[in-house]
């Protein structure tokens, strides 16, 4: 199979940093715990098996970019500013890495036409990836709520 054999191959070309991974994990944890109020960094770090000092820097960055709010004090911690269905994966990634852009240092050795085609191809990849990441909301990545079974007359919560 060639390098461009299937569209699904593009997802494997996107490598996210450990910093982005921690940011996504922490925001998902906060989405799951949203009913409990602010969550301390220490709990997020312990539950997510992430280094606390590194996670603290990430959380501060997410606060700066308007994804999280920080509350001080005994009952303080971090919480999502908006509901999980209004925060996209793209927002979290770009809060950490800056604007998403699939660029490549082209350099010399290619004709001007080949350079132009390569730039256009990567521009299309960037646009498509940005749209896809924007369409994925944190709520879609969470475990669904318990299903309800029906006994014909009444809905019964599944155990």
């Amino acid at each position: 199979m060639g390098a461009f054999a299937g569209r699904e191959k593009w997802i494997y070309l996107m490598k996210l940093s450990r910093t982005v991974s921690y940011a996504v994990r922490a925001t998902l944890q906060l989405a799951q715990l949203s009913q409990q109020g602010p969550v301390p960094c220490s709990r997020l770090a312990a539950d997510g098996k992430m280094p606390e000092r590194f996670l603290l820097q990430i959380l501060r960055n997410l606060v700066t970019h308007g994804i999280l709010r920080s509350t001080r004090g005994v009952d303080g911690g971090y919480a999502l500013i908006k509901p999980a269905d209004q925060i996209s994966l793209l927002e979290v990634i770009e809060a950490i890495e800056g604007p998403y852009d699939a660029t490549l240092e082209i350099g010399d050795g290619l004709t001007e036409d080949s350079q132009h085609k390569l730039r256009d191809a990567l521009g299309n990849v960037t646009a498509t990836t940005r749209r896809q990441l924007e369409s994925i909301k944190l709520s879609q990545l969470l475990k669904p709520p318990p299903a309800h079974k029906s006994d014909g007359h009444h809905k019964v919560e599944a155990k």
Side-chain angles (χ1 to χ4, degrees):
M1 270 210 254
F4 303 104
R7 285 176 33 158
E8 68 279 358
K9 295 292 185 191
W10 284 110
I11 193 77
Y12 300 111
L13 296 177
M14 185 176 168
K15 181 171 172 47
L16 299 175
S17 69
R18 179 172 289 145
T19 308
V20 167
S21 173
Y22 289 169
V24 170
R25 287 164 52 189
T27 54
L28 287 173
Q29 286 176 283
L30 290 169
Q32 286 175 320
L33 301 170
S34 64
Q35 303 303 318
Q36 297 180 16
V39 180
C41 178
S42 57
R43 177 172 177 197
L44 294 171
D47 291 354
K49 296 178 176 50
M50 298 175 276
E52 187 174 346
R53 288 192 338 170
F54 186 40
L55 182 60
L56 186 57
Q57 293 172 339
I58 294 167
L59 296 175
R60 286 180 180 152
N61 204 358
L62 293 170
V63 168
T64 300
H65 284 87
I67 294 172
L68 303 182
R69 87 170 56 84
S70 170
T71 307
R72 294 179 185 262
V74 176
D75 294 326
Y78 294 87
L80 299 178
I81 285 183
K82 303 181 280 190
D85 63 352
Q86 294 177 21
I87 301 172
S88 73
L89 199 50
L90 180 65
E91 287 177 80
V92 176
I93 291 169
E94 290 191 334
I96 301 301
E97 303 263 323
Y100 179 79
D101 188 17
T103 57
L104 180 67
E105 180 64 42
I106 296 173
D108 295 329
L110 293 177
T111 66
E112 197 169 310
D113 185 51
S114 291
Q115 289 179 26
H116 181 71
K117 287 178 181 176
L118 183 55
R119 272 192 212 97
D120 284 351
L122 291 175
N124 289 334
V125 168
T126 296
T128 300
T129 303
R130 287 182 60 79
R131 277 192 306 275
Q132 289 176 339
L133 291 171
E134 180 62 37
S135 74
I136 301 168
K137 305 302 180 191
L138 293 181
S139 58
Q140 294 172 264
L141 304 174
L142 299 173
K143 190 165 81 172
H148 292 278
K149 291 183 184 175
S150 177
D151 65 2
H153 300 291
H154 306 289
K155 287 188 176 180
V156 179
E157 182 121 359
K159 301 271 180 189

